[in-house]
Amino acid sequence: METVTLIGEMQSRAEELRRRGTTIGVVPTMGYLHDGHLSLVAQARKETDVVVTTLFVNPTQFGPGEDFERYPRDTERDKRLASQAGTDILFMPAADEMYPAGFKTYVFTEGLSTVLEGAFRPSHFRGVTTVVMKLFHIVKPHVAVFGQKDAQQAAIISRMVKDMNLDIRLIIAPIVRESDGLAMSSRNVYLSPEERKNAVALFRSLRFAEDAVRKGERAVETIRRGMEEILWNARVSAVDYIAFVRPETFEEVEKIDPPNILVALAVRFGKTRLIDNIVIPVS
Ligand code: PAF
């Protein structure tokens, strides 16, 4: 695996690969890699000739008081894992090259970026779409792989790719979970041992919703109440939201109807904020 840090060098490598007819897959990450990220690299490996994993803790997607400073970082470990998973090029740009003095241009997807996660983290998705658009222009991928764990991010990036006519095929890969069901996330390291045990309640509450829908329940409020009970019993300190939305548009629904529904939630254990979701088919 080769490591590239300069934007111009990454762009020339990408141009050269494209000239030779080599297909490029990109897996954007903020590092502190876990099996969820590695599954994205594996997916890109299957689809393209050359896999570029990007590692950049993007300051513009963190709001004031969020965890930018303490976001977990371990570059040596990330290099080893990215390489073992099949990365050909690890692109690790510097913040002052990505956002030089005088930087003024942002990409923003309306509507989708202001609900749920966007309501709690007002500038978050503007930072995500901006950095992802920049990474697309730098890496010039044919295919980009993102995780369903960040379902709203995936929907926003899909919208951006369509709206901006980007010639990139998106793949949204399934959530990878720990053996007890907790969705893998770099932020799980913030949990105390007790919170970590209790955090299984996120998946349990989503499974509760899935079961309820399967048994014919169609009233959102009834399912939400059951989910809340599971979460509060697990001693969460806040339930930011439990939302029932259309998977592509993130429009909230009041009644569950076909063909499917996405149930997304965000909770806090102390200062740690966790998100998870499930797509439930509805007949
Ligand atoms: O999902 C993430 O880790 C980040 O939001 C992304 C897509 C790498 C952009 O910084």
Side-chain angles (χ1 to χ4, degrees):
M1 185 183 76
E2 200 185 324
T3 300
V4 174
T5 53
L6 297 176
I7 292 174
E9 190 185 336
M10 185 65 243
Q11 282 175 317
S12 327
R13 292 293 320 264
E15 265 158 37
E16 182 196 315
L17 290 166
R18 277 185 164 258
R19 232 184 348 260
R20 294 206 307 246
T22 306
T23 56
I24 305 172
V26 70
V27 180
T29 82
M30 297 206 298
Y32 212 68
L33 302 179
H34 50 65
D35 285 353
H37 296 115
L38 304 183
S39 76
L40 308 183
V41 175
Q43 184 74 40
R45 189 64 289 152
K46 277 195 229 151
E47 307 279 338
T48 54
D49 301 322
V50 166
V51 176
V52 180
T53 299
T54 74
L55 197 168
F56 179 62
V57 184
N58 174 36
T60 62
Q61 69 188 75
F62 291 82
E66 288 187 357
D67 56 344
F68 174 67
E69 301 297 343
R70 67 179 189 121
Y71 195 81
R73 292 161 170 90
D74 188 341
T75 308
E76 285 317 306
R77 180 173 161 275
D78 284 345
K79 281 185 178 167
R80 200 174 59 246
L81 292 176
S83 165
Q84 283 165 4
T87 299
D88 298 294
I89 301 177
L90 184 67
F91 177 56
M92 294 178 38
D96 58 0
E97 211 199 351
M98 287 294 271
Y99 298 109
F103 185 90
K104 286 280 181 253
T105 307
Y106 292 87
V107 178
F108 183 68
T109 302
E110 289 182 346
L112 265 168
S113 296
T114 54
V115 297
L116 305 186
E117 279 306 286
F120 283 87
R121 308 182 66 192
S123 56
H124 172 65
F125 287 121
R126 182 180 87 144
V128 170
T129 38
T130 301
V131 82
V132 169
M133 183 68 107
K134 284 170 71 70
L135 291 170
F136 284 169
H137 286 299
I138 296 165
V139 177
K140 306 177 192 288
H142 298 84
V143 171
V145 189
F146 293 87
Q148 173 66 15
K149 160 80 183 357
D150 294 297
Q152 193 174 355
Q153 167 174 285
I156 290 170
I157 293 169
S158 305
R159 189 70 256 169
M160 176 182 88
V161 165
K162 279 196 199 102
D163 290 350
M164 293 292 109
N165 307 102
L166 302 181
D167 193 11
I168 296 171
R169 181 161 62 90
L170 283 191
I171 297 176
I172 309 303
I175 298 176
V176 177
R177 297 182 179 279
E178 303 284 358
S179 55
D180 65 357
L182 178 65
M184 289 195 183
S185 162
S186 305
R187 289 188 166 100
N188 291 348
V189 294
Y190 298 151
L191 297 167
S192 71
E194 196 188 338
E195 289 168 341
R196 169 62 191 84
K197 246 193 280 152
N198 289 338
V200 67
L202 276 78
F203 188 49
R204 217 175 268 152
S205 72
L206 293 170
R207 292 284 294 277
F208 168 85
E210 186 181 45
D211 261 18
V213 171
R214 198 178 295 135
K215 286 181 187 144
E217 182 59 65
R218 294 293 178 262
V220 161
E221 270 322 310
T222 311
I223 302 175
R224 185 182 279 126
R225 271 199 301 276
M227 292 175 73
E228 270 171 358
E229 198 179 320
I230 294 170
L231 294 167
W232 287 117
N233 283 341
R235 303 215 188 96
V236 295
S237 33
V239 177
D240 281 356
Y241 61 79
I242 296 173
F244 294 72
V245 300
R246 296 264 158 251
E248 295 80 25
T249 59
F250 270 70
E251 272 170 283
E252 290 211 47
V253 301
E254 269 158 31
K255 192 170 173 296
I256 292 166
D257 46 24
N260 56 19
I261 185 90
L262 187 145
V263 185
L265 58 82
V267 304
R268 291 173 203 245
F269 284 97
K271 276 190 182 160
T272 308
R273 194 162 177 283
L274 299 179
I275 60 171
D276 200 351
N277 70 86
I278 193 170
V279 178
I280 306 172
V282 185
S283 49

